[in-house]
Amino acid sequence: MALLQISEPGLSAAPHQHRLAVGIDLGTTNSLVATVRSSMPVVLPDEQGRALLPSVVYYPAEDKALVGFEAVPMQAKEPQDTLVSVKRFMGRGLKDIQTEHLPYRFVDAPGMVQFKLKCGQKSPVEVSADILRNLRERAEASLGGELVGAVITVPAYFDDAQRQATKDAARLAGLNVLRLLNEPTAAAIAYGLDNASEGTFVVYDLGGGTFDVSILRLTRGVFEVVATSGDSALGGDDFDHRIYCWLLEQAGLSQLGGRDSRLLQQKAREAKEALTDKLSTQIAAVLEDGSPINVELTQQTYFDLTRHLVDKTLMPVRKALKDAGLSTDQIDGVVMVGGSTRMPHVQHAVAQYFDKPPLNNLDPDKVVALGAAIQANVLAGNKSGDEWLLLDVIPLSLGLETMGGLVEKIIPRNSTIPTARAQEFTTFKDGQTAMRVHVLQGERELVKDCRSLATFDLKGIPPMAAGAARIRVTFQVDADGLLSVTAMEMTSGVQSSVVVKPAYGLTDDEITRMLKSSIEHAQDDMAARRLSEATVDATRLIEATQAALAEDGDALLDADERGIIDQALQQLSAAIAAQDEARIRQASDEASRVTDEFASRRMDASIRKALSGQKLSELG
Ligand code: AMP
């Protein structure tokens, strides 16, 4: 979500018309684009009717890049200049990735690794942008107009840098990003689970190379990712590999050349996919030396060969459930995502583990893109207001300025919206009748390091002693991301409020920078907070003592006593001026000590005064 800023009065959304919006599943292996047509989400195919776009880009020395199917054969011919699985490098530095088995020439660049290519240097953002541009052009050709925006899906565990990189790639591709959406959330939306009022769902995503499991909790239209787990080296490829090894065994072969190896891997994959619908399949191939392979593989043998891989997926499932503190009977539904979930023994194992049939009637390759399209349609404003669904979190904490230039966080970062939190504050001075409410966003402790969003005054507080007024400040962020802040003095009911509205003033770069700086400065910030708190307390002590001295000093203290107190106050003022926390605390302790006696004499005097003229019998 963007920064919250004060709204301009009277600003409202443009009137209704159908706006072209798409959902994009930017995948590691394949990408897809979908839209909502006549209220139905549909995947948009290319001119040849193919839904998937392989996430592969080939960069020739001079000509235009080849994207998708055209680039796939270049992997074998020019591996250094044909980039696959670029999603793995988004927002990652060279130190974050394993480069040993990859054919690329990596260049270490600040923030994100780059590829050295014949045509020059490219970052993963630019490569992803080429994939996204291809999908945008496909969508615009198919829909016959310019897109107002796109929802792009990202894995739930993507961090800020990876999300920012994805967003940058979209902008570079000429796409207006309506929202980045977590992949499991998109899958849940495709199944219409967001229409349930409440529930806990598991998204089981077994693709070609990776396995991800997420647990989502739905409350009042908001999905919260409560746990994620997975295995980044477990997917359909491992199942292919088991068949490949079995084939070698059957043919009595040990080592194969590159071409034969690729051929048998391809055959293994075809056999695997065939065994999803058939009880047995014939695998036939002729190796480079002319020797034939012709074997039958039954579904049962295949299941036996790969059962351990299916079982392996249940380990991260167990871990995610444990992290979320849930048992299988607390799960309301299991959504199947990824081509490999078509395999019957995977379906069976999941059904058995959760003791309920999984949700599998949508194409597991398309479900994420379909969900993203539904969300894009909503965000583009093609649905009526009551169907609004927002699945957002607050990227930076929202808080208030308190005395001493400190920020008190009211709604912590990552809270899902809608949300409301309240906190009580009090007045600082005797007789204070107004209070300035300063709303801020950021992770740092001091006002000057956070972003100011709005300021308003609560006036008409009845005059009371410092600390006696009870001012309740409520922060409320509704499902549209609108923040309203209300301040109310509880004893009198005096109230004041301001509405703060999201504006796209804070770029994600800024958000990332602000988060980073909060981590880097955590120690300094705590020291600054302690100093500021000590200063506030000490100032309050000086003011209270001076007020008491003015009132009763002459009557209750002799000259020596008065001198000691004055000196202690001077020392305290000097310590404040020096901004030395330890000195302020020490001088405050000393000032409290030397004023103790004076305070108790004042107490006695005021009791005497209160009692004077009253009969003993009146004192119940
Ligand atoms: P994804 O990464 O979601 O595109 O999934 C790709 C993986 O799904 C590959 O390993 C495919 O071999 C596998 N896959 C696709 N269709 C089937 C099928 N009918 N049966 C088994 N695996 C399949």
Side-chain angles (χ1 to χ4, degrees):
M1 196 182 73
L3 171 73
L4 295 150
Q5 287 182 335
I6 298 181
S7 67
E8 275 181 53
L11 257 192
S12 64
H16 264 237
Q17 77 211 70
H18 190 84
R19 295 143 172 237
L20 303 178
V22 293
I24 293 179
D25 173 3
L26 181 61
T28 309
T29 335
N30 292 302
S31 297
L32 294 99
V33 58
T35 194
V36 173
R37 250 194 204 141
S38 317
S39 307
M40 282 294 290
V42 285
V43 167
L44 299 170
D46 67 6
E47 282 165 353
Q48 275 109 68
R50 298 173 298 202
L52 297 179
L53 175 76
S55 304
V56 184
V57 188
Y58 165 64
Y59 290 97
E62 271 156 20
D63 292 336
K64 225 176 132 229
L66 298 182
V67 180
F69 288 101
E70 291 179 310
V72 172
M74 299 310 291
Q75 269 179 87
K77 292 184 204 147
E78 294 189 43
Q80 290 188 331
D81 293 278
T82 311
L83 300 171
V84 298
S85 302
V86 74
K87 186 171 175 177
R88 292 185 196 269
F89 309 119
M90 293 288 271
R92 302 282 84 156
L94 194 59
K95 63 176 182 349
D96 305 319
I97 48 179
Q98 291 200 323
T99 53
E100 303 92 62
H101 303 297
L102 297 167
Y104 311 128
R105 287 162 295 192
F106 289 101
V107 181
D108 201 5
M112 207 184 310
V113 68
Q114 308 235 337
F115 307 103
K116 196 165 163 214
L117 303 161
K118 276 200 302 269
C119 66
Q121 207 161 301
K122 293 263 178 199
S123 83
V125 168
E126 290 169 281
V127 181
S128 299
D130 283 327
I131 298 169
L132 289 170
R133 194 174 296 111
N134 185 295
L135 293 173
R136 174 173 67 79
E137 285 165 4
R138 177 195 289 196
E140 287 179 346
S142 160
L143 299 173
E146 211 173 293
L147 304 179
V148 298
V151 166
I152 299 178
T153 58
V154 287
Y157 52 79
F158 253 27
D159 65 17
D160 281 313
Q162 292 167 302
R163 284 169 197 259
Q164 183 58 43
T166 307
K167 228 169 170 177
D168 290 345
R171 285 196 198 120
L172 211 56
L175 284 165
N176 169 34
V177 182
L178 297 168
R179 175 78 42 92
L180 293 181
L181 184 64
N182 287 327
E183 288 162 9
T185 307
I189 291 174
Y191 274 99
L193 300 180
D194 47 307
N195 295 329
S197 59
E198 250 159 39
T200 307
F201 305 99
V202 168
V203 179
Y204 178 104
D205 180 351
L206 187 59
T210 54
F211 173 63
D212 294 309
V213 58
S214 315
I215 301 182
L216 305 180
R217 184 177 296 135
L218 173 72
T219 13
R220 280 171 274 115
V222 177
F223 281 111
E224 189 190 347
V225 180
V226 289
T228 63
S229 188
D231 187 335
S232 58
L234 176 61
D237 299 348
D238 298 286
F239 290 74
D240 302 348
H241 191 69
R242 286 302 301 139
I243 300 182
Y244 171 82
C245 293
W246 177 83
L247 272 176
L248 292 187
E249 247 173 68
Q250 297 297 305
L253 299 163
S254 54
Q255 205 68 35
L256 287 182
R259 184 198 156 271
D260 284 346
S261 167
R262 272 198 300 277
L263 174 69
L264 289 197
Q265 279 176 33
Q266 180 59 30
K267 292 285 171 189
R269 186 178 195 165
E270 285 165 14
K272 171 190 78 173
E273 294 181 7
L275 289 172
T276 286
D277 303 311
K278 295 201 289 185
L279 292 178
S280 111
T281 189
Q282 203 67 30
I283 305 174
V286 180
L287 299 181
E288 232 166 352
D289 65 4
S291 56
I293 289 184
N294 199 346
V295 283
E296 188 195 9
L297 177 60
T298 64
Q299 199 184 49
Q300 192 53 53
T301 307
Y302 169 62
F303 287 174
D304 292 343
L305 282 174
T306 54
R307 196 169 313 279
H308 69 288
L309 294 172
V310 179
D311 291 344
K312 212 172 158 192
T313 67
L314 295 178
M315 274 155 52
V317 171
R318 265 183 225 110
K319 183 175 179 300
L321 283 170
K322 188 161 167 272
D323 290 350
L326 294 167
S327 58
T328 49
D329 56 357
Q330 288 172 293
I331 300 301
D332 298 297
V334 185
V335 175
M336 300 297 258
V337 180
S340 299
T341 60
R342 291 197 178 93
M343 292 187 281
H345 59 330
V346 171
Q347 296 270 342
H348 184 252
V350 171
Q352 203 168 31
Y353 185 73
F354 287 99
D355 198 19
K356 55 173 72 73
L359 295 161
N360 60 5
N361 52 313
L362 293 176
D363 183 334
D365 285 326
K366 296 180 181 161
V367 51
V368 168
L370 295 175
I374 295 171
Q375 183 70 358
N377 192 47
V378 171
L379 291 173
N382 294 329
K383 289 208 134 189
S384 63
D386 58 350
E387 283 172 283
W388 267 87
L389 166 76
L390 274 132
L391 311 136
D392 227 340
V393 294
I394 292 172
L396 292 168
S397 305
L398 292 164
L400 273 191
E401 175 171 355
T402 59
M403 285 304 299
L406 294 176
V407 180
E408 181 72 24
K409 300 196 176 95
I410 312 281
I411 300 185
R413 128 182 172 78
N414 271 342
S415 301
T416 43
I417 56 173
T419 182
R421 303 266 170 100
Q423 191 148 325
E424 275 191 19
F425 293 87
T426 189
T427 44
F428 179 68
K429 290 200 163 152
D430 284 342
Q432 185 176 335
T433 57
M435 184 169 129
R436 171 144 291 198
V437 180
H438 184 191
V439 186
L440 295 130
Q441 188 170 33
E443 299 316 299
R444 302 284 302 272
E445 298 285 340
L446 300 184
V447 167
K448 68 178 175 58
D449 298 319
C450 290
R451 180 99 180 203
S452 171
L453 300 182
T455 311
F456 67 99
D457 290 328
L458 175 67
K459 291 193 186 119
I461 303 171
M464 283 180 250
R470 283 172 50 221
I471 295 150
R472 192 175 177 77
V473 179
T474 308
F475 274 53
Q476 189 161 5
V477 184
D478 70 12
D480 293 337
L482 237 70
L483 168 71
S484 47
V485 182
T486 312
M488 185 198 252
E489 203 291 304
M490 302 299 280
T491 53
S492 62
V494 172
Q495 188 168 328
S496 184
S497 62
V498 67
V499 174
V500 185
K501 197 183 177 185
Y504 297 92
L506 193 66
T507 64
D508 287 0
D509 259 348
E510 284 178 273
I511 292 180
T512 311
R513 186 179 46 70
M514 287 169 88
L515 287 175
K516 274 205 194 116
S517 84
S518 84
I519 296 160
E520 281 160 16
H521 292 95
Q523 295 245 328
D524 303 348
D525 275 11
M526 281 323 289
R529 172 173 272 272
R530 281 197 309 269
L531 172 63
S532 191
E533 281 169 352
T535 306
V536 170
D537 291 344
T539 310
R540 192 177 285 146
L541 179 63
I542 293 174
E543 285 183 5
T545 311
Q546 277 169 344
L549 285 173
E551 217 169 289
D552 297 320
D554 293 344
L556 301 176
L557 296 171
D558 66 25
D560 282 352
E561 289 167 334
R562 173 73 189 239
I564 290 170
I565 292 176
D566 283 344
Q567 201 192 349
L569 293 185
Q570 268 166 23
Q571 299 254 336
L572 185 52
S573 297
I576 293 172
Q579 284 292 282
D580 178 338
E581 189 214 332
R583 225 178 111 188
I584 296 172
R585 297 227 179 262
Q586 205 177 15
S588 292
D589 290 348
E590 178 62 12
S592 299
R593 197 181 62 76
V594 300
T595 51
D596 257 7
E597 176 59 25
F598 175 44
S600 68
R601 279 184 213 165
R602 287 191 79 212
M603 184 85 79
D604 291 347
S606 69
I607 293 171
R608 264 200 310 277
K609 200 163 134 200
L611 295 183
S612 66
Q614 291 187 30
K615 294 189 191 105
L616 208 57
S617 59
E618 287 170 341
L619 297 169

